[in-house]
Structure formats: C-alpha cells, structure tokens
Amino acid sequence: MKDGQPSAIYLKDYQVPAFLIDKTELVFDLDESVTVVTSHLHMRRNPESKHKTAPLILDGGEDVKLIAIAMDHYQLPSEEYCLTDNQIIITATADEFILTCETLIEPQNNTRLEGLYRSSSMFCTQCEAEGFRHITYYLDRPDVMSVFTTTIIANADDYPVLLSNGNEVSRSVNEEGKTVAVWHDPFPKPAYLFALVAGDLNVIEDQFVTQSGRTVELKIFTEAHNIDKVDYSMDALKRSMKWDEDKYGREYDLDIFMIVAVDDFNMGAMENKGLNVFNSSCLLASPKTTTDDGYQRVEAVVAHEYFHNWSGNRVTCRDWFQLSLKEGFTVFRDQQFSSDMNSPVVKRVEDVSFLKTAQFAEDAGPMAHPVRPASFIEISNFYTLTIYEKGSEIVRMIHTILGEEMFRKGSDLYFDRHDGQAVTCDNFVQAMQDASGINLSQFKRWYSQAGTPRVEVSGEYDDVEKTYQLTVSQMTPPTSNQPTKLPLLIPVRMGLLDNEGNVLNADLDGVNAQEHVLHLDKAEQVFKFKNVASAPIPSLLRGFSAPVKLSHNYTVEQLLLLMSSDNDGFNRWSAAQELAVRELTALIEQVKLGETLTVESQLLVGFKRVLSDETLDKSMVSLILTLPSQAYLSELATEIDPHAIKAARTHLKRLIGCALEQKFADCYSQNNAKVDYLPTADQIAQRKLKAVALSYWNESDSVTARRAVIDQFNAADNMTDQFSALSIAVNVGHSDFQVMLDDFYSQWSHEALVVNKWLMLIAGQEADNGLDQVRGLMEHEAFDLKNPNKVRAVLGGLGSSVSTFHDTSGSGYEFLADQIILLNKRNPQLASRLCTPLTRWKKMTPSLSVLMQKQLERILSEELSKDVFEVVSKSLA
Ligand code: TRP
Ligand code: ZN
C-alpha cells in the first residue's frame, strides 16, 4: 500500500445522523456517454441529534462529478462548501431546506459494479452497502430513511423497459422524443435499497393474491434469450410469498413485485424494495442447462431476497455493524423455507457441512470477526459466512431455546415493534426475550465473541443407580483482538441409545423424555440423567443445535451404531463423517511420514449397511457416502498439507470403490431409470445417488463403469446427469475426457451459465499442466474479465485444484496474486474475495506457507483499494 492507509470505523463511535432526508426526488437522464443525475433532497436537522450546529456532510465523489449544488434554489458558490475525495461538507445550513445536486456519472466505465453500471445492453444498479454514493451525493447510511420518487429519462428504442422501486406513476414522451417514466415508492427506505433498471427486456407476468385479498402483480425480466428460463423462479416466488404468510404472518405490501436478471453482478442477488436484482446464475433455470443444485440455489435465493422485504426492508439495520440482523435472520428464514419445500434432514446436512467447512475456517483465520463486528475498514468485506451462516445459526439457537410458538411470538413482536425503523441486533434479541419471558442476556455474547467454541463431553454410567452423568466443558479459542472469551449459552439437543441402537428414555431435572436440550452456560458443568435402563451411547448435538466443535470419545463400534440406527437422521450423517475423518486423518499422517498407506476401513462396513438400507432416503445415502471434502479436512488440520490430504482421500475413495464395486454397479443401475426431469426432492435424491455410485464404481478400472460414464453423458436429457458424467470423466482421467469436454463446449457455447461450469471444471482439474490450462481459459473466447461469474469460475476452480494451486514452486499462488492485482482497481469487491485462499497461509505446511506469504506481501506493496488492503493487511498481521 502506497500513500495513506485507510482507517477503521468503530461501532462504539455510532452517532445518530445530524440530518434526515424526508423525501428524495431523483432524475436520471440516461445516456451511453454521460448520465446526468439530479437530486432534490428534502432535508431537516434530526431532532434526536445532540449536535444542533453540525455541518452537513454528504457522501459521494471519486466517480461522481459535481456540476451544481443549491440550497432552497440558491446556487452555492464554491466558497460555501468543501469538496473532498469522498464528501461534500456544508457548514452553514438552515434547519430545514431542499438541497439540489446535479452530478455526472459514466455508468459505461463503471467496472466496480457498485452504483449505476452497464451489464450487457442494460443499465442497472447495486447500492448495498455503499453504492449509492457512486450515483450522487447523499447521506449514504442505513438509518437515513427516505421516500423516493425516481424519474428515468431514456431513449425509447434501446430502453423500452424503465424500472425503479415502488409503483410506476406516469410515463410520457418528452420534447426530445425520449421516454420519461416516474416511479414512486411510498415506503421510506435507506439508499442501499434503491434500484434502477433500464433496458430492452422481456418479461413474464403472474399474480399473487395475498392473505388479505390484495392482488400483487409479479414480473420477472430478462434479456430475450433467457426468458424461457424463469418459470421456475416465478413458481419459487409464489411459494415464498405464501410461505411467509403462513409461517410468519408476513404479507407483501406493494401492488407490484419485480425481479430482473443481470449477467454482471458481484454477489448472488439484491433485495431492493419491490425491484430485486439478481445475478442471472441465481435466477435462470431450465432442465437442460441447470443442475439440481442450481435449481435449489435459485429457489433459496428467490426466497431469501423476497423474505428481506420484511427482515431487512420494513425493519432495516441501524448501521452496517448490524448487518447480521437482516442477513442472519433472512438466511434462517430461507433455510426453513427450503427445508419445508424439500427434505429437512438433507437440507440441514448440506447447510451444516457448508458451515463447518467454510465458516469454521473463516472463524479460525485472520479475518475472524464476531457476528456483530466491532470495527471494519471496508464494509463490503463483511458480507461473510460469519455474518450470514453463523448469524443464521444464532437465530436457529434462539428458535431452539424458545420453541416454535414463542419464537413466532417473538418475531411478531419484533416486526410490529420496529416496523419502519432502522434497528440493532439487540432490538431483535430483546423482542425474543420480551415475547417469551426467557432471559437471553448471556446468550447475546454470541453476537460479540468471534471464534468457534469447542465443547467436550464425557459420560459415565452407574449400573447400580441407573444414572448417566455427562460432564460438559466449553472453551472458545482466542481470536485477533479477543484474547479471552466468556462462556456462551449453548443449546445441545441430545438423546440416548442402548447398545442395540434402540432409543432410551431418561429423566433430566424431573423430565422423562427421549430427547433433551441441555443448556450449557458455564465453562464446565454436569448433567445427571436418571432411570437410564442400560449403559447408553449419547447422540449429541442433534440437528447441529449449536455452531460448535463437539468432541466425545466414541469407539468405532459406537459410531457405526449411530450411523446405522440413530433416530436422528442428522447424527447418522455426523457419525459417518466422524468415522471417515478418523480414517482419513490416519492416512494423512501416513502420507506425511512417507509410509505405505494402509487402513482397516470400518467405514466400508458402515457403507455396505447403508447401501442395503431400503428405509433410508436416497439423498441421505449419498450424503453419508460422500467423503469429507478436501476443504473440510483442511479446516480440521492443525497444519494443512494439501497434497497429503488429497493422497489420503484418493486412497480411501479408491479402496471403497474397489471393495464395493458390485454394490455400486447395482446401485447405479437401480437408480438409472429414465424419467421426465423435475426438480423434486425424490428425483434429485435419485440422481444424486446415481452420481455418487457412478463415481465410486469408476474407482475400479472396470470397463463397464467407464462405458456407463460415456453413455450417461451422451444420453442425458438434463444438466445434472450430463455434468455429473463429465465431472467423473475428468476426475478419473477417463480416456475420452478431453473429447467430452470439447463436445460439451460446442454443445453449450451459447449458454453463458453452462460455459461457466465448463470453465470451472477445467480450471479445477488435477492436471500436470494445470496452470497453462488456466492461462488458456483466460484467453479463451468464453472468458470475460468484466464478468464476476467467469472470473470466479476460473480462479475459484484454480483454487480447488491441489496440484495446480498448491504447486510446490509457488506458481499457482503467484498467478492468483497477479489476477488480484489486476482486478484490484477494476473491481475491488471481487478482488478482495479472491484473496481468501491466500489469507489462510499461517495454517499451511511451512514450505507452502512462505510462498503464500510472499505473494501477500507482493500484493500489499501495490497501491490498493480499501477492500483488498483490509484483507491482505489483516492476514499478514
Ligand atoms: N443483501 C444482499 C443479500 O441478499 C447482498 C448483496 C447483494 C451485496 N449484492 C451485494 C452485498 C453487493 C454487498 C455488495 O444477501
Ligand atoms: Zn440477504
């Protein structure tokens, strides 16, 4: 970093805004060269502010060119205001006035994809978190809520569709023949929820009748070539609207709800009031181009953004430290929704697996932060797994502690009490506490303490007394700036099984039940169960009732029993994972010591049982059969040796595939029935199991197995089957894999989202010339540095290839660093996210660690955006 270093801002410094903006009137004169933005802001001093004479400080600058500024129609001469790089400061103001600003921006040159920018043939916006200041000068903070009226002026031929928040109130033609559309949003909102879209778009329309009988017009817009891929999204939207009414009593509030698909987008999607903007990858779906995972993602993201209308828009955040107030709660809501729409256990396993892999790694790394951070340099860096996923786990724990009914009372109270306000995480917890009467003061520590708590459990059975005593301790390891931690309130849902796998009833605190929720609240405590008929095997942390690392010294036999008989489906998966982790850990050690790999795999025994268990959901079978990922094993390691982890996984997978060859072959053919594609839970489960079986079966060098891959690839009428066959071919080094990759590209070169999957698969392969291939991809006609999805496909793919990324020469790290430096100025948000794999350098095996560190230092010596600077400097600290 050259020049001055950017500084942090702190939660403790929060002050209410000195001014409010009651009404915001915006006029956009859109043009391919310069866009003129005129604002009329109806402002007054905030009566709540202590600073009665504070100057007016508006955010904006860099890419915004000020043409004129006036107060109550008096043009301010330049001596009457001070213009800095990112602010306008006006010292003398009345208590109430209209501020008029005229600014110029160049959306066509906006590569940051924040503010107003162009994507393909359209204009679109992204204002969260601080994008609005790239459009015009404003009080760009979430606690300034205003009623917006937006006028869009554009050439009618190129931009027949002109959209903004709320309702369209008029549409006319001006003297130049341009279209003038006026939109008005009656709900006061912060600027981060503002949106504008202009383009030549197609639309599908539908309606939803709300619980109170109002009809809402639903519209989804895409470019013409994609309009055949939004029926599923429309269906998911209607299901979300109904679900939010049924489950939370939340009704939609405007007369129209619109979604627009945009190709160039930094994140997944954005909940702008009445006008959601989506990354096309999270909206478009068709059987031939979208995998089952893709369908489920679309369903979840459509729901997520829709649910924000209450958890985020009607009740918003006071400041960005409270981001998890809306994100954690909304993720929890979308997880519940997906769970209700599909299989609850499967959904839970998928979410937990992701949390334990990626969020736990974040919580153990240099960017570890509490769910409510105390400070940040660049807020865009805090749209993290901790804010989203751990934030959701916090809400889930409240749900577990309060129970369904009290939780609903709490959410009703929260929405009712804070409707139209910008509030804090404390307000949320307070509403839950007030509605339930359950004291949550200790629980609140979850918001301020970073790091993943460790919970250790040991049990002792007294055969004479028929009692079972569980001793439980908790400890949260130190994180940067937080050396010591206090005990948290941790709900541990659990049950007991006898040694045949039958459920045992037990008394705890006078309650006799098959399942209990322990409330840990001390560093160490003892729970005593009475009337326990025989020595039990505890089934702990069912459904992953708290985001902790729990350990208990199970024997292998006990894990096998839990795996095949626990009445909690989630813990059957958990036991299988634990067993696999143990065997893989032993193998990793052998690789590190240069020994020949040997393992008496007990997992094999368990897998054989699971494959013959007719009662198990097929999705559960495939989840249990899936070995812990490279990323998860890296998270668990104290010192990561990626090559050893890869070798261990390859060995165990091959051993299982060969030992159970016939079982996998049978399983494959049993599940290979031809059906008309539907993204239903049953069909998804069947395709998933089929793919897992095919993948294991191909670990043997069976010619029939290889043939089956080609046949599935050629015969597939859906992307799930086609792409799973292609991935397996690439992974096992199938003799035809190159031909298949080429065929796949020729078939799909016109479908950008499919091409992205192809880019990622190639970039991620374990090949000797991997880096050359990655370089080739970045030169390929299908690549485009402006498009974040493509950049993520190639560089994300690269990051997942052990041989290419972790090449012992350091060439993989160097290449990634080059790309980060290249993107740093163009798109700081994207560049900053690409740093993640390098930031984990301290946990790497020494020879790789130094190579990563060297690249981080090289990046830090450049002139950096705030985004990249924060991540790189914190990770080197
Ligand atoms: N609020 C969005 C969500 O639903 C997140 C988001 C979308 C975002 N685009 C962004 C955040 C750009 C920062 C920058 O999760
Ligand atoms: Zn969100």
Side-chain angles (χ1 to χ4, degrees):
M1 189 77 195
K2 307 271 166 61
D3 308 336
Q5 296 193 345
S7 55
I9 72 158
Y10 293 87
L11 168 59
K12 64 174 167 43
D13 295 341
Y14 174 81
Q15 295 197 328
V16 299
F19 291 86
L20 301 175
I21 310 176
D22 295 319
K23 280 199 288 183
T24 299
E25 290 154 9
L26 301 169
V27 182
F28 288 82
D29 197 339
L30 297 176
D31 188 278
E32 271 106 51
S33 54
V34 274
T35 289
V36 185
V37 182
T38 311
S39 68
H40 295 276
L41 309 179
H42 297 242
M43 305 190 74
R44 64 186 159 95
R45 284 197 180 270
N46 183 1
E48 311 278 298
S49 170
K50 295 193 299 268
H51 307 286
K52 300 297 172 207
T53 57
L56 172 63
I57 303 176
L58 299 158
D59 308 294
E62 279 175 286
D63 34 20
V64 177
K65 188 163 175 227
L66 182 69
I67 298 301
I69 181 163
M71 263 184 173
D72 290 329
H73 307 292
Y74 162 73
Q75 286 291 335
L76 295 183
S78 56
E79 318 81 71
E80 292 187 30
Y81 61 91
C82 167
L83 199 59
T84 75
D85 277 357
N86 49 21
Q87 290 178 330
I88 292 181
I89 304 165
I90 306 169
T91 324
T93 74
D95 288 343
E96 200 170 335
F97 53 91
I98 295 177
L99 185 81
T100 305
C101 279
E102 193 181 320
T103 48
L104 297 185
I105 48 177
E106 296 180 353
Q108 71 280 7
N109 297 326
N110 180 348
T111 55
R112 314 167 58 95
L113 314 186
E114 296 171 70
L116 180 67
Y117 64 94
R118 292 197 57 117
S119 176
S120 332
S121 61
M122 56 176 127
F123 285 96
C124 61
T125 54
Q126 172 54 40
C127 294
E128 189 176 2
E130 298 181 332
F132 196 79
R133 62 188 64 186
H134 295 277
I135 295 176
T136 184
Y137 287 93
Y138 202 74
L139 299 180
D140 191 8
R141 46 187 288 170
D143 55 354
V144 173
M145 298 170 77
S146 185
V147 172
F148 280 67
T149 305
T150 306
T151 302
I152 312 170
I153 306 169
N155 159 353
D157 291 339
D158 297 326
Y159 308 101
V161 174
L162 301 176
L163 312 173
S164 190
N165 316 83
N167 304 307
E168 190 180 71
V169 290
S170 76
R171 204 178 162 98
S172 55
V173 178
N174 72 5
E175 57 283 7
E176 291 171 58
K178 289 185 173 177
T179 314
V180 180
V182 182
W183 289 79
H184 177 75
D185 177 4
F187 293 94
K189 64 169 178 292
Y192 85 85
L193 291 172
F194 170 80
L196 176 155
V197 170
D200 186 357
L201 302 174
N202 284 28
V203 62
I204 65 161
E205 301 190 43
D206 207 326
Q207 290 186 333
F208 180 80
V209 180
T210 68
Q211 59 185 9
S212 72
R214 282 187 312 105
T215 299
V216 180
E217 301 297 328
L218 310 177
K219 302 186 185 194
I220 302 184
F221 297 86
T222 71
E223 287 181 284
H225 63 280
N226 283 327
I227 200 67
D228 58 334
K229 302 189 195 72
V230 286
D231 296 336
Y232 184 74
S233 295
M234 183 62 92
D235 182 59
L237 173 61
K238 289 187 285 181
R239 285 185 281 120
S240 307
M241 295 177 87
K242 177 79 171 73
W243 186 90
D244 213 14
E245 293 184 344
D246 294 346
K247 190 90 173 186
Y248 282 87
R250 299 293 118 200
E251 185 174 331
Y252 186 63
D253 48 13
L254 286 161
D255 301 329
I256 171 169
F257 185 81
M258 300 174 283
I259 303 181
V260 181
V262 168
D263 287 337
D264 306 291
F265 203 74
N266 278 341
M267 306 271 279
M270 181 60 212
E271 71 266 23
N272 318 299
K273 183 77 187 188
L275 177 54
N276 289 358
V277 174
F278 273 57
N279 186 324
S280 3
S281 71
C282 296
L283 193 70
L284 307 180
S286 80
K288 285 202 163 61
T289 58
T290 311
T291 60
D292 292 334
D293 290 348
Y295 268 89
Q296 298 204 305
R297 172 131 179 92
V298 165
E299 177 181 64
V301 179
V302 167
H304 179 98
E305 305 311 330
Y306 174 72
F307 296 155
H308 268 314
N309 190 55
W310 275 96
S311 48
N313 302 2
R314 287 289 286 259
V315 181
T316 195
C317 301
R318 186 191 74 173
D319 54 72
W320 291 120
F321 299 101
Q322 319 296 330
L323 180 57
S324 195
L325 172 75
K326 73 175 177 81
E327 296 304 345
F329 189 22
T330 304
V331 170
F332 176 67
R333 278 149 55 69
D334 84 55
Q335 289 176 345
Q336 280 185 306
F337 169 77
S338 294
S339 171
D340 285 353
M341 296 298 127
N342 304 284
S343 152
V345 214
V346 171
K347 174 66 178 157
R348 190 63 187 142
V349 169
E350 289 166 351
D351 291 341
V352 169
S353 181
F354 179 52
L355 180 89
K356 290 175 78 171
T357 302
Q359 195 279 325
F360 280 16
E362 182 170 281
D363 234 354
M367 281 292 288
H369 56 276
V371 165
R372 185 184 46 218
S375 74
F376 57 74
I377 294 177
E378 169 54 60
I379 183 57
S380 303
N381 286 329
F382 285 77
Y383 287 74
T384 60
L385 298 165
T386 300
I387 302 293
Y388 278 68
E389 311 300 320
K390 187 175 182 179
S392 162
E393 294 302 318
I394 292 184
V395 177
R396 184 180 298 274
M397 286 189 282
I398 296 179
H399 184 272
T400 302
I401 293 167
L402 268 59
E404 179 80 31
E405 206 177 306
M406 285 300 173
F407 182 86
R408 170 64 194 270
K409 276 195 174 160
S411 74
D412 283 352
L413 179 61
Y414 168 72
F415 287 127
D416 186 47
R417 190 184 268 176
H418 299 297
D419 190 7
Q421 297 175 1
V423 304
T424 64
C425 298
D426 283 335
N427 293 129
F428 180 79
V429 178
Q430 193 62 46
M432 289 292 167
Q433 172 164 321
D434 292 349
S436 66
I438 295 175
N439 186 323
L440 294 170
S441 46
Q442 180 182 359
F443 181 83
K444 283 209 283 194
R445 289 177 189 161
W446 277 106
Y447 285 96
S448 52
Q449 280 190 186
T452 307
R454 288 163 201 274
V455 173
E456 260 177 44
V457 184
S458 62
E460 211 174 317
Y461 182 64
D462 184 328
D463 206 11
V464 182
E465 299 282 324
K466 302 287 172 207
T467 58
Y468 182 63
Q469 189 168 297
L470 272 185
T471 305
V472 189
S473 63
Q474 61 163 297
M475 190 283 279
T476 306
T479 49
S480 61
N481 301 324
Q482 285 190 334
T484 53
K485 315 270 181 177
L486 297 167
L488 298 163
L489 175 57
I490 302 175
V492 177
R493 197 151 71 75
M494 50 96 50
L496 301 174
L497 303 183
D498 71 14
N499 57 15
E500 247 107 65
N502 304 306
V503 178
L504 278 173
N505 272 51
D507 292 357
L508 179 68
D509 301 330
V511 181
N512 182 275
Q514 298 189 344
E515 192 169 270
H516 299 273
V517 180
L518 312 180
H519 286 190
L520 319 187
D521 56 4
K522 297 183 187 64
E524 185 169 316
Q525 61 207 115
V526 172
F527 296 89
K528 200 162 183 174
F529 296 87
K530 295 184 185 154
N531 297 319
V532 184
S534 62
I537 300 161
S539 163
L540 299 161
L541 204 68
R542 287 182 161 178
F544 205 65
S545 58
V548 301
K549 291 189 170 185
L550 184 138
S551 58
H552 177 68
N553 60 341
Y554 288 112
T555 64
V556 169
E557 288 67 36
Q558 290 175 327
L559 288 173
L560 283 170
L561 189 83
L562 289 169
M563 183 174 161
S564 57
S565 349
D566 198 330
N567 57 326
D568 183 73
F570 178 86
N571 270 8
R572 294 180 70 166
W573 171 78
S574 223
Q577 286 281 295
E578 169 73 21
L579 198 53
V581 164
R582 288 190 191 182
E583 295 186 358
L584 287 162
T585 308
L587 287 166
I588 292 167
E589 283 316 305
Q590 294 171 12
V591 182
K592 284 186 177 170
L593 295 169
E595 295 172 357
T596 348
L597 303 190
T598 47
V599 58
E600 279 291 330
S601 182
Q602 295 302 309
L603 196 59
L604 248 173
V605 179
F607 279 7
K608 213 187 282 176
R609 277 189 215 159
V610 163
L611 275 166
S612 331
D613 188 340
E614 304 277 306
T615 66
L616 260 184
D617 176 321
K618 288 182 177 172
S619 270
M620 277 311 290
V621 178
S622 19
L623 288 167
I624 289 175
L625 292 174
T626 304
L627 291 181
S629 66
Q630 175 88 23
Y632 182 55
L633 293 165
S634 305
E635 199 292 309
L636 292 179
T638 32
E639 186 182 294
I640 306 168
D641 180 343
H643 300 282
I645 295 174
K646 182 177 119 184
R649 286 189 84 246
T650 307
H651 180 84
L652 186 58
K653 181 143 188 225
R654 192 169 176 86
L655 185 131
I656 295 169
C658 295
L660 302 180
E661 180 180 342
Q662 195 51 50
K663 280 218 164 278
F664 286 122
D666 294 345
C667 177
Y668 180 72
S669 40
Q670 280 153 21
N671 289 288
N672 198 17
K674 202 155 169 54
V675 288
D676 288 334
Y677 181 91
L678 281 175
T680 55
D682 282 351
Q683 276 200 22
I684 291 173
Q686 174 145 341
R687 279 187 289 270
K688 178 98 153 284
L689 183 54
K690 180 168 82 170
V692 171
L694 185 60
S695 163
Y696 272 110
W697 184 21
N698 270 275
E699 290 294 331
S700 73
D701 298 315
S702 147
V703 183
T704 10
R706 291 289 192 271
R707 187 70 244 165
V709 173
I710 307 237
D711 289 347
Q712 176 169 321
F713 180 77
N714 291 332
D717 63 354
N718 64 80
M719 185 49 66
T720 309
D721 285 343
Q722 192 183 11
F723 198 73
S724 68
L726 183 62
S727 313
I728 292 168
V730 170
N731 291 336
V732 301
H734 196 291
S735 53
D736 283 350
F737 88 85
Q738 198 55 57
V739 181
M740 291 164 78
L741 279 171
D742 294 346
D743 286 353
F744 188 81
Y745 181 74
S746 350
Q747 186 183 351
W748 295 116
S749 56
H750 58 287
E751 288 286 352
L753 298 174
V754 182
V755 170
N756 292 350
K757 297 182 69 63
W758 177 84
L759 289 170
M760 186 162 217
L761 185 61
I762 297 176
Q765 53 178 316
E766 299 294 340
D768 293 337
N769 62 342
L771 200 54
D772 293 336
Q773 299 229 34
V774 170
R775 286 203 183 92
L777 290 176
M778 294 188 72
E779 300 289 307
H780 196 277
E781 57 170 14
F783 190 75
D784 178 1
L785 200 63
K786 285 199 302 294
N787 182 273
N789 291 352
K790 294 195 183 293
V791 173
R792 278 188 288 258
V794 173
L795 298 179
L798 165 67
S800 68
S801 161
V802 175
S803 53
T804 312
F805 186 57
H806 299 288
D807 187 287
T808 50
S809 71
S811 58
Y813 307 152
E814 184 181 11
F815 183 81
L816 182 63
D818 288 342
Q819 307 313 310
I820 291 167
I821 292 167
L822 178 70
L823 283 160
N824 165 59
K825 286 223 176 64
R826 298 178 61 97
N827 186 334
Q829 287 187 3
L830 178 61
S832 164
R833 277 165 196 277
L834 294 172
C835 298
T836 308
L838 294 173
T839 63
R840 308 283 156 79
W841 66 280
K842 281 184 185 158
K843 265 189 79 180
M844 300 299 290
T845 196
S847 58
L848 297 177
S849 181
V850 292
L851 296 169
M852 284 189 169
Q853 183 188 15
K854 198 172 108 191
Q855 295 308 322
L856 286 165
E857 280 163 354
R858 183 162 71 91
I859 298 172
L860 196 64
S861 70
E862 298 280 324
E863 193 158 328
L864 295 179
S865 59
K866 279 207 282 181
D867 310 59
V868 176
F869 172 76
E870 177 169 37
V871 171
V872 174
S873 63
K874 285 186 175 172
S875 70
L876 282 169

